[in-house]
């Protein structure tokens, strides 16, 4: 007997792959299912026991389809043994492959795309009644995702989507073809969501877009993004504002000024480089060059001295020579990133780069990649050592420190988003509360505060976390939608692994 049969409820599981946009879409999918009467399968549920399994897919990696069909193949015998079980596939790979998913995995019940995630409950019901697969792929956005119900995981941090789609034509990226042209939300709608979240206890929001700082191109205002940052600064009770991911092409001086002059906009910037070679940037169809990129970094550091800047870098793009790669290494040395998300180039079906001459042998890509990782590791450690002796206000996080139980520590994020492990204070603290600590040790990927906590500031976000965890076990989430919005979700560290910018 399944978990749902024992409880008399239908359970669901959402498996998410890819970028921050997919993570946020999965919050919407969970909210839609719970709004339709499903409950999330309890943690530790055996694979195949949930009544509905939803795959929210990514199409960026070359082996994305292999990963999906491997997982679908494992579920096939489990579904055969449980006739009422349903499987749905959505996201970028579903938008790209459409009918071929059901051809390759005929036991799939529903296939839906990036533009019509709101149809999932209806499609599941239709598939159940008609006893045949439902494939529905919209060619353009049916409803802005933020108008849909949401199941957020955390009481203190939330994604807030400000745009969907992308107008860029980077040769390595298939996302614009699958997500469509940029479509911006109205500023008033964004701020209404932010204010509603804060009223429920959220103290940190991350503004999210495929190309977040191009916000305004769809509504005809080139300074719309800087205005939005400043408006967030006027939201009472909002402690921290972040955003991801910007594009160097659209990163203007008014945005730098807004970051520097708005106290709750955090001193953190994720600025994708991709390559330090002007030749490769041109082949990638990136509309900036090395000196332009480094000029932005210099301006940000002049305005915000303690800013932590991270980046994305692709190694082994077609045609990359040793000289091109050395230009990337040179740029990394000059930029001194706090950390970098580094990727070995892999063919992405449907992109121009996949058909380019000069594909680099795997062994060469691997060797260059290892050199880059070693250099960035050294720089990250040196930059983290500069934090030793500083007193920082850290927002207590949930699930950030895997060894916290054994070390009797807690973990959280500094204003610049660095991960800090600190000695557990005598006073009770909750995720979302703020503690003041002095940094005593630095490692390449985290900081330690081994002394006593200087102060603890209990917050409304901590109250909201406490309230959420005191709630009944089913349902475990809080639904957010229009017009009713509620407690939000902890944010995974942004990884831009989808090269969404």
């Amino acid at each position: 007997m399944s978990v749902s049969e024992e409880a008399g409820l239908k359970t669901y599981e959402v498996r998410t792959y890819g970028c921050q946009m997919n993570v946020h879409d999965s919050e919407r999918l969970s909210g839609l299912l719970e709004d339709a009467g499903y409950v999330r399968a309890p943690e530790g549920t055996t694979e195949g026991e949930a009544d509905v399994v939803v795959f929210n897919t990514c199409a960026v990696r070359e082996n994305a389809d292999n990963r999906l069909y491997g997982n679908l193949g494992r579920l096939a015998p489990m579904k055969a043994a449980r006739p009422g079980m349903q499987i749905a596939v959505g996201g970028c790979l579903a938008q790209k492959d459409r009918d071929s998913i059901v051809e390759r995995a005929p036991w799939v019940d529903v296939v839906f795309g990036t533009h019509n995630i709101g149809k999932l409950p209806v499609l599941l019901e239709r598939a159940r009644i008609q006893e045949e697969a439902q494939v529905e792929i919209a060619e353009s956005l049916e409803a802005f995702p933020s108008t849909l119900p949401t199941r957020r995981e955390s009481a203190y941090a939330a994604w807030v989507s400000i745009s969907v789609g992308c107008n860029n034509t980077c040769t390595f990226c298939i996302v614009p073809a699958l997500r469509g042209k940029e479509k911006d939300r109205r500023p008033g709608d964004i701020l209404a969501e932010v204010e509603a979240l804060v009223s429920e206890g959220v103290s940190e929001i991350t503004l999210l877009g495929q190309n977040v700082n191009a916000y305004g191109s769809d509504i005809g205002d080139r300074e719309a993004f800087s205005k939005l940052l400043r408006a967030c600064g006027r939201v009472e009770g909002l402690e921290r504002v972040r955003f991801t991911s910007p594009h160097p092409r659209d990163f203007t001086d008014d945005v730098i000024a807004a970051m520097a002059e708005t106290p709750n906009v955090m001193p953190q910037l994720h600025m994708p480089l991709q390559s330090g070679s002007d030749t490769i940037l041109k082949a990638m169809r990136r509309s900036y060059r090395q000196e332009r990129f480094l000029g932005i970094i210099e301006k940000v550091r002049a305005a915000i001295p303690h800013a932590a800047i991270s980046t994305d870098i692709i190694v082994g793009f077609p045609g990359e020579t040793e000289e091109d790669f050395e230009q990337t290494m040179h740029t990394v040395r000059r930029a001194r990133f706090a950390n970098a998300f580094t990727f070995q180039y892999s063919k992405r079906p449907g992109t121009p780069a996949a058909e380019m001459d000069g594909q680099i042998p795997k062994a060469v890509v691997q060797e260059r990649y290892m050199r880059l990782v070693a250099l960035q590791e050294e720089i990250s450690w040196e930059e983290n050592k500069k934090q030793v002796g500083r007193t920082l206000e850290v927002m207590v996080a949930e699930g950030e420190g895997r060894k916290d139980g054994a070390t009797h520590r807690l973990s959280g994020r500094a204003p610049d988003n660095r991960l800090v492990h600190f000695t557990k204070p005598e006073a009770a603290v909750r995720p979302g509360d703020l503690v003041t600590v002095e940094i005593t040790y630095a490692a390449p990927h985290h900081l330690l505060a081994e002394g006593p906590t200087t102060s603890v500031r209990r917050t409304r976000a901590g109250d909201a976390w406490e309230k959420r965890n005191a709630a009944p076990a089913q349902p475990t989430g809080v639904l957010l939608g229009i017009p009713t919005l509620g407690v939000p979700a902890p944010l995974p560290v942004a990884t831009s692994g989808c090269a969404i910018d």
Side-chain angles (χ1 to χ4, degrees):
M1 182 178 289
S2 72
V3 173
S4 61
E5 288 171 333
E6 291 179 6
L9 299 167
K10 284 189 175 182
T11 59
Y12 74 90
E13 173 190 359
V14 179
R15 302 187 190 181
T16 308
Y17 306 98
C19 66
Q20 302 97 316
M21 194 65 76
N22 270 22
V23 172
H24 191 44
D25 281 350
S26 288
E27 291 184 332
R28 306 291 178 191
L29 293 170
S30 296
L32 284 160
L33 290 170
E34 294 195 7
D35 211 31
Y38 295 84
V39 295
R40 176 174 285 189
E43 193 172 336
T45 298
T46 304
E47 184 176 37
E49 263 199 0
D51 296 295
V52 173
V53 179
V54 182
F55 292 90
N56 189 10
T57 63
C58 173
V60 168
R61 293 295 172 189
E62 186 177 17
N63 64 351
D65 57 346
N66 293 334
R67 187 177 187 184
L68 171 66
Y69 292 112
N71 286 322
L72 290 176
R74 256 198 338 272
L75 286 179
M78 302 173 193
K79 187 174 188 295
R82 294 184 56 220
M85 180 183 176
Q86 290 185 297
I87 299 173
V89 179
C92 290
L93 191 64
Q95 187 78 22
K96 182 172 78 75
D97 287 356
R98 306 180 181 223
D99 294 323
S100 65
I101 293 175
V102 174
E103 291 174 3
R104 293 183 61 176
W107 54 92
V108 169
D109 299 277
V110 170
V111 178
F112 63 101
T114 57
H115 298 308
N116 63 333
I117 64 174
K119 289 289 187 65
L120 177 59
V122 171
L123 293 172
L124 286 168
E125 183 65 11
R126 194 186 300 163
R128 185 186 65 79
I129 293 170
Q130 297 182 6
E131 297 184 344
E132 63 179 11
Q134 301 296 307
V135 178
E136 189 169 305
I137 306 292
E139 297 302 329
S140 60
L141 193 67
E142 293 187 347
F144 203 93
S146 291
T147 64
L148 302 174
T150 302
R151 182 198 192 278
R152 300 189 189 268
E153 304 296 332
S154 152
Y156 59 90
W159 302 111
V160 174
S161 182
I162 70 170
S163 65
V164 294
C166 180
N167 294 336
N168 293 321
T169 57
C170 301
T171 55
F172 56 78
C173 185
I174 197 171
V175 169
L178 304 178
R179 293 273 181 181
K181 292 292 186 181
E182 179 177 327
K183 185 172 179 60
D184 296 335
R185 283 179 82 188
R186 291 165 55 90
D189 292 342
I190 296 168
L191 290 171
E193 182 178 1
V194 170
E195 290 168 354
L197 290 168
V198 172
S199 73
E200 293 292 338
V202 171
S203 58
E204 177 179 311
I205 61 111
T206 298
L207 302 175
L208 179 64
Q210 224 74 54
N211 181 10
V212 71
N213 62 319
Y215 177 73
S217 62
D218 181 49
I219 57 179
D221 184 354
R222 290 180 57 83
E223 295 189 352
F225 186 62
S226 61
K227 292 175 182 175
L228 181 61
L229 290 178
R230 292 182 188 277
C232 287
R234 295 190 288 271
V235 177
E236 187 176 353
L238 180 57
E239 302 260 2
R240 295 183 172 188
V241 178
R242 306 185 191 276
F243 58 89
T244 194
S245 287
H247 191 294
R249 182 195 68 185
D250 302 300
F251 208 82
T252 50
D253 290 350
D254 62 296
V255 173
I256 296 173
M259 291 177 66
E261 296 165 9
T262 310
N264 64 357
V265 175
M266 293 295 96
Q268 174 212 352
L269 176 64
H270 184 76
M271 179 68 77
L273 170 65
Q274 306 304 3
S275 175
S277 162
D278 288 354
T279 301
I280 296 301
L281 287 170
K282 184 177 180 181
M284 288 177 167
R285 216 177 285 157
R286 302 285 284 182
S287 53
Y288 56 89
R289 299 297 178 258
Q290 181 191 114
E291 286 304 315
R292 157 74 173 150
F293 183 92
L294 290 170
I296 294 171
I297 301 301
E298 289 173 7
K299 286 183 178 180
V300 170
R301 291 214 166 103
I304 315 166
H306 288 300
I309 301 173
S310 57
T311 197
D312 295 335
I313 300 174
I314 298 172
V315 178
F317 188 82
E320 182 186 75
T321 65
E322 181 63 23
E323 183 180 352
D324 291 323
F325 176 69
E326 283 299 331
Q327 285 299 307
T328 295
M329 297 284 275
H330 169 72
T331 307
V332 169
R333 292 187 188 98
R334 285 184 60 185
R336 299 196 65 80
F337 300 112
N339 59 76
F341 300 98
T342 51
F343 307 95
Q344 297 183 43
Y345 173 78
S346 61
K347 286 186 178 181
R348 289 146 186 198
T351 64
E355 307 301 322
M356 286 182 177
D357 294 333
Q359 301 287 330
I360 311 299
K362 175 68 175 174
V364 175
V365 177
Q366 176 70 19
E367 190 273 336
R368 290 176 184 170
Y369 174 80
M370 295 306 294
R371 274 192 279 157
L372 175 62
V373 168
L375 172 63
Q376 182 56 52
E377 192 91 350
E378 177 184 332
I379 292 171
S380 294
W381 200 355
E382 290 172 356
E383 292 301 307
N384 274 2
K385 286 176 182 177
K386 295 177 183 178
Q387 305 297 310
V388 174
R390 290 190 67 198
T391 298
L392 302 175
E393 188 171 57
V394 176
M395 183 174 288
V396 183
E398 186 173 28
E400 292 270 27
R402 294 191 300 271
K403 299 179 181 178
D404 282 354
T407 58
H408 303 291
R409 294 181 181 130
L410 296 176
S411 299
R413 293 280 168 178
D416 64 10
N417 211 37
R418 282 183 166 94
L419 178 62
V420 180
H421 304 300
F422 58 94
T423 302
K424 190 173 183 178
E426 290 185 9
V429 293
R430 296 105 19 119
D433 286 340
L434 292 155
V435 300
T436 304
V437 298
E438 182 179 330
I439 303 304
T440 57
Y441 174 81
H445 303 293
H446 68 266
L447 303 173
L448 283 182
E450 299 165 298
T453 300
T454 305
S455 67
V456 174
R457 179 155 65 92
R458 291 170 71 86
T459 65
R460 290 170 61 254
D463 294 343
W465 180 90
E466 198 166 59
K467 180 179 178 181
R468 186 202 69 176
N469 281 270
Q474 295 288 351
T476 55
V478 178
L479 293 181
L480 301 186
I482 303 296
T484 306
L485 294 174
V487 177
L491 304 178
V493 177
T495 60
S496 289
C498 242
I500 64 170
D501 36 48

